[in-house]
Amino acid sequence: RKEVEQDPGPFNVPEGATVAFNCTYSNSASQSFFWYRQDCRKEPKLLMSVYSSGNEDGRFTAQLNRASQYISLLIRDSKLSDSATYLCVVNNFNKFYFGSGTKLNVKP
Amino acid sequence: GAVVSQHPSRVICKSGTSVKIECRSLDFQATTMFWYRQFPKKSLMLMATSNEGSKATYEQGVEKDKFLINHASLTLSTLTVTSAHPEDSSFYICSARDRQGREKNYGYTFGSGTRLTVV
């Protein structure tokens, strides 16, 4: 079983839409969780950390459910510039495990 | 913020040759560096963890004799792909951890990646 599983998408949404991505992880002992963004042929860049209490950064909201081993990312008011692949990342004992990514296409 | 410099960004080599990729932490000391590989439309896969002054720890299925890792100083780790073959063509990315863990992602910073093409 994969450490991290994500719906690969793609999610094709119009500008201004709200879109949600989900992710599940297999190791209940995982310590920390992140969402990364990766543009085509570039390195991944940290979007935000994910906390059990939920956290928000502008148009982005991340949630963690440890009981269900489930992580989510909500993007409100999508912009064209949000088009990218979003990677769910889980840290197990200082090793990062990446999901395969969910591709988002925001269209005008 | 912490910066990791990875070089080269792109390399094309002939089958059978070896290629060295460098990963440097520019403004912090990295006791641990990680090497990842990403095939097209696939996830980043951890290949190995290198610790300064000791042998690297390889993930299952990664050949340590083919992917040589050296982490001789607190600011430099190298990955050498030996006797490269076309199936080794991939995007290789390093990640380094700031000893102080000051960044919000617990101190992990990624290099910009190296796209290796073996012909």
Side-chain angles (χ1 to χ4, degrees):
Chain A
R1 187 182 171 188
K2 289 183 181 178
E3 292 277 348
V4 182
E5 303 234 32
Q6 282 183 259
D7 180 346
F11 284 59
N12 299 307
V13 303
E15 266 186 297
T18 295
V19 62
F21 305 139
N22 302 317
C23 164
T24 56
Y25 60 96
S26 60
N27 189 338
S28 60
S30 299
Q31 294 99 43
S32 51
F33 310 87
F34 311 92
W35 283 100
Y36 275 70
R37 171 191 170 131
Q38 186 173 27
D39 292 289
C40 190
R41 304 172 79 85
K42 300 284 188 183
E43 79 277 19
K45 295 193 175 175
L46 178 67
L47 182 64
M48 59 198 304
S49 303
V50 189
Y51 305 113
S52 298
S53 55
N55 49 301
E56 187 174 305
D57 184 358
R59 297 181 292 109
F60 299 85
T61 301
Q63 294 274 358
L64 166 65
N65 184 321
R66 281 191 181 270
S68 303
Q69 295 178 207
Y70 172 95
I71 304 161
S72 66
L73 176 67
L74 182 77
I75 305 175
R76 290 181 297 278
D77 188 23
S78 300
K79 311 289 184 192
L80 295 176
S81 57
D82 293 334
S83 297
T85 297
Y86 290 83
L87 307 174
C88 176
V89 183
V90 172
N91 181 2
N92 293 340
F93 302 99
N94 295 327
K95 290 185 179 180
F96 273 30
Y97 293 92
F98 288 77
S100 54
T102 299
K103 189 169 175 55
L104 172 66
N105 296 316
V106 181
K107 301 187 180 300
Chain B
V3 176
V4 172
S5 173
Q6 187 172 340
H7 178 81
S9 58
R10 188 182 298 270
V11 58
I12 300 173
C13 71
K14 289 185 178 179
S15 188
T17 61
S18 294
V19 174
K20 181 186 282 189
I21 303 169
E22 291 188 349
C23 180
R24 292 181 186 274
S25 56
L26 295 188
D27 52 359
F28 66 99
Q29 293 181 325
T31 52
T32 305
M33 289 188 175
F34 303 88
W35 288 96
Y36 294 84
R37 178 169 52 183
Q38 186 177 33
F39 292 107
K41 300 186 187 295
K42 300 291 185 184
S43 177
L44 276 79
M45 296 297 295
L46 179 65
M47 298 175 66
T49 302
S50 77
N51 298 295
E52 185 265 338
S54 63
K55 289 183 179 179
T57 304
Y58 290 81
E59 296 299 300
Q60 193 172 10
V62 178
E63 300 174 59
K64 62 180 181 181
D65 294 330
K66 180 167 183 63
F67 299 99
L68 300 179
I69 290 173
N70 184 284
H71 192 161
S73 77
L74 284 171
T75 59
L76 174 66
S77 176
T78 61
L79 168 68
T80 301
V81 183
T82 62
S83 187
H85 291 284
E87 57 266 29
D88 298 324
S89 298
S90 186
F91 192 47
Y92 293 86
I93 303 179
C94 68
S95 173
R97 186 180 185 198
D98 182 348
R99 291 173 86 181
Q100 303 299 322
R102 288 168 293 199
E103 298 297 318
K104 58 183 176 180
N105 58 332
Y106 299 85
Y108 296 93
T109 302
F110 285 85
S112 55
T114 298
R115 189 162 299 282
L116 170 64
T117 303
V118 184
V119 298

